[in-house]
Structures are given as C-alpha cells and as structure tokens.
Amino acid sequence: MAIIGGYLAYLFRYQLAFPNEPVPGYGLVGPDQYNSFVTMHGTIMVFWVAMPILLSGFGNFLLPLMIGAGDMAFPRLNMTSYWVFFLSTVVLLLSFFVPGGSFSGGWTIYPPLSASPGYTGVIWGGHLWILAVALEFTSMLMGGINFLTTTVAMRAKGMGLFRLPIFVWMINIASILFMFSVGPLIAGAFMLLADRLFDVGFYLPASGGDPLLFQHLFWFFGHPEVYVLLLPALGIIAEIFPVFSRKPLFGYRTIIYSTLVAGLLSFIVWAHHQFISGIDPRLAAPFSVTTILISVPFAITLFAFIATLWRGSIRLTTSMLFALGMLAEFLVGGVTGIFNGSTAADIYIHDTLFVVAHFHYTLFPVTFIATFAGIYYWYPKMFGRFMNETWGKVHFWITIIGFNAVFLPMFAFGLAGHQRRIFDPTLFDYLQPYQYLHVIATVGLIVMLAGQIPFIINFFASLSRGKVVDRNPWLANTLEWLAPSPPGHGNFDQEPVVQRGPYEYSHPLLKERDWISQGEL
Ligand code: HEM
Ligand SMILES: [Cu+2]
C-alpha cells in the first residue's frame, strides 16, 4: 500500500509541476482524477500505511517480546483483526474500479461534497470509502484491545509498569487514544451514509442540516488520530537512542507523564481545524490556547531525547541515522504547527501549501523515517541477519535529501498564497513566477522514490546474504534481545524474570561492559 500511496503522490505531483502533460508511466491526469488521487493518497497513507505498519506491525512483533510474553493475549482476535484489515484493503482498492471512480472529496470526507453523490459524481466510490474505513477501524480496535490486555495481563515476572520500555507505553497510550476518539467519527460516518443513501439531511443545509457538525465529529477523532500515529514512532526512536549513545534514556517517567498529558489535551484541540469555518472567536481562542499548549509536553519529550544523546558515545548506524532524521524533521513539523495553531496566523495560511508542508513534516518522519529506523534496528531480531549498512546509509541520505526537496519549497509557496488541492496552478497569474518550485518538488519526489529501490533490494537480499547475528548484536538491554533471532514459537527459551529498568547503560557499578539486560541477575 505504501507503494500505491507513493505512486498516487507521483501522479498528482507531476501534474502540479507540468500541468496537463501526460505523466510518464500513466498518461493524462484529469481534474476529477486529480481530486480522487489526492483523496486516496491521504486516505491510504494515514489509514493503510502509517497505522498498520506502526501500530499493528511493530506493535504485534515487539510488544509481547518486550514484556517477556510468549504471544499476544488473544491470538485468534489477532488473526481476525488481520483478515478484517485485509478485507478493508480489498474494498478500498475495489473503489478504484467502480463506475465514477474512487472517492474524490478529500480524505476528511467533508460534507456537503461527501453527503450527496450529486456534487462529485462519485457514487459507489464514496460508499465503498466509508465501508473500507469502517472495516479498517474495526480491525484496529481489535488490535488495540489486544495490546492493552496483553500489557496488563501477560507481563513477565518483575516487569512493573515503570519498567516497561517506552515503546510499550506508547503503543498502549496510542490504543487508548484511538478507542476514545473513534466513536464520534463512526457515528458521524453512519449519519453521512444515511445522507448519501436516504437524503436524511444531517449535513445538507438544503435539508435543514449543518456541514459543520461533521467537521466537529471528524476532528474530534482526527486530531487524536495524528497522535495515534506519532506515539509509536516516538516509541521506536526512544528505543534506538539509548542503545546507540550508550546512555540511559533521559527522563523516563517524565516522558511517560508528558505523553499522558498530551494524550488528554489532544481531545480538546480539534476545533483548530475550524478557525475559518465561521466559528465564534470566543470559542476559537480557547482552542488556540490548548493547541499551542499541547506542544509543551511534546517539547519536553523531544528535549528528553536530545538530553539522552548529550555527551553519549554516539554510533551512527543506519537505524541511528534514521532516528536522528526523524527527530530533526519532526521538529520542523512541530514548530510550524504552532503557526497553524494560532488563529491569527491560521486565517492566512489555512488550506495553503504551508499547511500541506507542515503536516508532511510531521507525518512523513512518523510514517516512513521512523519505520525505516525500526526496520534497520529490529531486522536482526526478525530474521537473524544484519541488513547492509552501506546501502542503508545511501538509502538514508537519498530519502532525507529528497524529502526536504519535496516539502521545503511548499512552505514558501504556501506563504505566497498557493491554495492546496489545486489542479493547475499555472492558471493563477500570481503563482506563475513560482512554478519552478513545483518542478523542484517533483524532481525531489522522483529522486526520493528511486532512493527506495536500494532499500527494497537490501531488505530482500539480506534475508539470505546478510551477516548472521547472535541474539543481541546491538548490546541492548530490553527483553526482545534475550529471545533467539528470529524468535521461535513462544518467543523465549524460558520465561524471563525482569530485574531492572530497560535503559541501564553505562551503569556506574558495571565493570567489564556498559550494558546489562533487563532479564539478567
Ligand atoms: C511519499 C511522499 C509524499 C508526497 C510526495 C506527498 C505529496 C502530497 C501533496 C503534494 C499533497 C497535496 C495535494 C493537493 O493539495 O493538491 C498531499 C496531500 C496529502 N498527503 Fe501526502 N505526500 C507524501 C506522503 C504522505 C504521507 C506519508 C502521509 C501520511 C501519513 C500523507 C498524507 C497526506 C494527506 C492526509 C493529504 C491531504 C489529502 C487531501 O487533501 O485530501 N502524505 N500529499
Ligand atoms: Cu488538529
């Protein structure tokens, strides 16, 4: 799905740079198709790439290993969750092939565009979109229940809550956020379906409804959702930093408490998406305050990460490079978010490419850079072999340079007044002098996509050619490194007994070496 999401980005990015020229490898992209590709790109990246890789993928593999459990609490539920997800993918992909094509009203499915098929000409594509997302959410809910139960009930002896690796905390907090936020959206989506099928009129002004109602329901879910994606990514890099700087994680408990606070705050920030939709300024102000406030706990977490690196003996392995890259790029995203959060600035930059640049500087590091960090780091555990480091570094630099080439120009472009979701920017006189920025971004994307080829080859070639490793090649403390690589059925040879916290590197009492496993006496 990541390849499809990236391919769609290529199609509409190319159209932005070279309007109305056939895209190599595809052909002409028309305006309707443009809308549909943008919509599906957003949908796929958020729900079918970021969530399944970070939560389900890393979560299912690592969570039991890290808490010293043989398996998840409900293996069958896990299987069901997997197949429901598979079904959701089929339904979503099917929507590309029905008459009228896939949904084209934006990944936020705002009414009125989404409430009446008449507006977009997309009938089945819209129904299928809602069905696919509903199935996907069901699958994620099953996964979340499993994570929480497993963490509560299956921890190895001695694994107290404050000895859990940060990654495990993050997966659980993310699951809770998802569970508490998803209800309103599901209700909202059913109402939307009722509008589409029976013209009930929840959202259509002509039938006495209010489209703003949907925006509230959507973003009550939508904003916490971005943290659902962010937290596992932060968890991944929190595991990597101590190992490759040989220092304890700075402020372990502080990170946990900050994340809990940020989680709570995330439920009272949603209306920053509505600053220009006619919201009463007396209501906008408190939402602006909470939105800017939420950057404080995240800033604390990021500073804790930086303090972890401070004066460590840093080893720049590929996974460490990606972890550092994630931190750096995410900082740009976080800082620019403060502008969007302030009502006054947002009124100007709302729905421009500035916002597109901002959320890609948060979502891309979360979705891809952190995932790569995690893959290079845990690959030896998954397959018992190393990936090639040299090719890993080539992959890293192309990805980082390409990524910045794509999105850095968009900040400037947005400030120049370039609206998002525009099919042909050359139609606007005031944008024409900047058209070269679109060309830079598109070339950047092609470079970046090409840069993924060494990664894919490296990944598969290393399965048979990578250097064979023992259980703990990075000399790390957490429990997953006690299990054989790859872990067999039941994960551990014997159930580990946990003696200490997960990040005891460079302990003053250690003599011969600088690390001690959580499971060692
Ligand atoms: C592979 C690199 C990527 C590129 C080149 C890219 C490019 C773009 C561009 C140019 C737009 C705006 C299109 C428009 O307004 O007309 C866009 C929209 C969007 N992208 Fe990406 N993107 C990438 C990765 C991602 C990732 C990783 C995510 C999320 C996890 C993501 C989520 C979104 C969303 C939610 C939208 C808004 C869709 C909408 O307006 O309905 N993108 N992308
Ligand atoms: Cu938000």
Side-chain angles (χ1 to χ4, degrees):
M1 292 304 271
I3 294 175
I4 300 178
Y7 180 64
L8 290 173
Y10 160 74
L11 294 181
F12 60 72
R13 241 312 2 135
Y14 197 90
Q15 156 69 24
L16 284 170
F18 310 105
N20 302 313
E21 283 177 34
V23 183
Y26 181 82
L28 268 182
V29 172
D32 291 343
Q33 274 180 319
Y34 183 87
N35 286 338
S36 141
F37 290 167
V38 171
T39 304
M40 296 308 274
H41 160 79
T43 306
I44 289 177
M45 287 296 194
V46 173
F47 297 127
W48 272 269
V49 180
M51 271 179 105
I53 295 183
L54 291 164
L55 266 179
S56 322
F58 282 110
N60 274 311
F61 177 71
L62 291 173
L63 188 128
L65 280 169
M66 282 184 162
I67 65 172
D71 197 351
M72 297 289 283
F74 307 117
R76 272 166 205 263
L77 188 67
N78 221 2
M79 235 18 227
T80 320
S81 152
Y82 175 81
W83 286 111
V84 171
F85 177 76
F86 184 79
L87 186 66
S88 78
T89 312
V90 173
V91 173
L92 190 79
L93 292 181
L94 216 63
S95 79
F96 278 103
F97 302 103
V98 292
S102 52
F103 186 57
S104 60
W107 82 285
T108 51
I109 55 167
Y110 276 2
L113 274 187
S114 59
S116 163
Y119 290 125
T120 51
V122 178
I123 302 173
W124 277 101
H127 300 339
L128 290 178
W129 192 101
I130 296 175
L131 178 62
V133 171
L135 286 169
E136 205 264 359
F137 284 4
T138 315
S139 153
M140 288 297 150
L141 276 176
M142 292 193 262
I145 293 168
N146 221 343
F147 290 137
L148 287 168
T149 319
T150 308
T151 312
V152 170
M154 313 259 296
R155 275 171 291 139
K157 221 170 135 228
M159 181 59 98
L161 283 183
F162 286 108
R163 282 181 175 177
L164 289 174
I166 291 286
F167 180 78
V168 176
W169 270 103
M170 293 293 184
I171 290 281
N172 281 289
I173 300 175
S175 302
I176 294 173
L177 288 186
F178 185 71
M179 286 179 181
F180 279 105
S181 63
V182 81
L185 180 71
I186 292 180
F190 268 106
M191 288 150 73
L192 190 61
L193 210 55
D195 269 10
R196 291 178 67 88
L197 295 172
F198 312 115
D199 195 16
V200 178
F202 286 114
Y203 303 122
L204 287 172
S207 327
D210 183 356
L212 280 187
L213 170 62
F214 184 83
Q215 296 195 6
H216 285 292
L217 294 172
F218 183 88
W219 285 111
F220 185 81
F221 159 80
H223 200 91
E225 166 71 9
V226 296
Y227 297 131
V228 171
L229 309 181
L230 167 63
L231 297 190
L234 289 182
I236 290 174
I237 65 170
E239 299 304 321
I240 292 175
F241 284 146
V243 175
F244 295 113
S245 55
R246 310 311 295 170
K247 276 184 62 196
L249 187 69
F250 186 89
Y252 170 83
R253 283 193 190 220
T254 313
I255 294 178
I256 296 169
Y257 292 133
S258 315
T259 310
L260 288 169
V261 169
L264 282 177
L265 278 176
S266 76
F267 286 101
I268 44 173
V269 300
W270 78 87
H272 61 218
H273 297 270
Q274 278 136 280
F275 285 158
I276 64 153
S277 63
I279 191 173
D280 188 321
R282 280 167 302 180
L283 209 57
F287 276 105
S288 187
V289 170
T290 52
T291 303
I292 294 173
L293 214 59
I294 205 172
S295 55
V296 174
F298 282 121
I300 292 176
T301 302
L302 295 187
F303 280 124
F305 288 167
I306 294 170
T308 305
L309 301 171
W310 185 252
R311 297 202 165 170
S313 48
I314 291 176
R315 270 177 58 207
L316 289 178
T317 57
T318 307
S319 49
M320 183 65 166
L321 279 175
F322 272 106
L324 290 169
M326 149 80 199
L327 193 68
E329 307 297 352
F330 184 77
L331 257 170
V332 179
V335 169
T336 51
I338 297 175
F339 295 90
N340 301 326
S342 111
T343 328
D346 188 59
I347 286 172
Y348 178 64
I349 53 184
H350 182 86
D351 261 347
T352 64
L353 288 190
F354 184 93
V355 171
V356 175
H358 151 70
F359 69 72
H360 282 87
Y361 264 95
T362 57
L363 288 175
F364 187 88
V366 161
T367 311
F368 287 111
I369 305 186
T371 294
F372 291 138
I375 290 180
Y376 285 99
Y377 180 60
W378 280 293
Y379 190 93
K381 182 51 56 188
M382 291 181 191
F383 303 109
R385 287 169 189 273
F386 275 127
M387 279 177 85
N388 183 299
E389 284 281 313
T390 313
W391 283 110
K393 283 171 189 164
V394 171
H395 174 217
F396 170 77
W397 286 110
I398 300 183
T399 305
I400 289 289
I401 293 169
F403 165 72
N404 284 292
V406 179
F407 292 107
L408 209 54
M410 280 194 208
F411 284 120
F413 225 163
L415 291 177
H418 194 315
Q419 297 288 303
R420 69 196 274 207
R421 294 174 184 159
I422 282 182
F423 168 64
D424 182 353
T426 54
L427 293 177
F428 300 85
D429 288 339
Y430 69 102
L431 290 180
Q432 275 170 6
Y434 308 107
Q435 182 63 17
Y436 70 94
L437 290 175
H438 272 316
V439 178
I440 296 179
T442 300
V443 173
L445 174 66
I446 293 172
V447 170
M448 186 168 84
L449 291 180
Q452 305 314 305
I453 296 171
F455 167 72
I456 296 172
I457 298 178
N458 191 355
F459 186 94
F460 287 105
S462 300
L463 287 176
S464 58
R465 295 219 201 125
K467 205 167 127 234
V468 178
V469 296
D470 213 4
R471 295 186 179 208
N472 192 356
W474 309 121
L475 309 179
N477 293 0
T478 38
L479 289 183
E480 77 269 28
W481 303 104
L482 276 182
S485 317
H489 191 73
N491 286 344
F492 296 92
D493 314 325
Q494 70 210 53
E495 205 194 305
V497 179
V498 178
Q499 311 291 346
R500 58 182 63 74
Y503 305 110
E504 301 201 359
Y505 298 94
S506 307
H507 196 286
L509 296 179
L510 294 173
K511 289 271 145 48
E512 272 95 55
R513 49 186 186 149
D514 71 341
W515 62 285
I516 181 159
S517 166
Q518 270 196 291
E520 244 176 284
L521 266 179

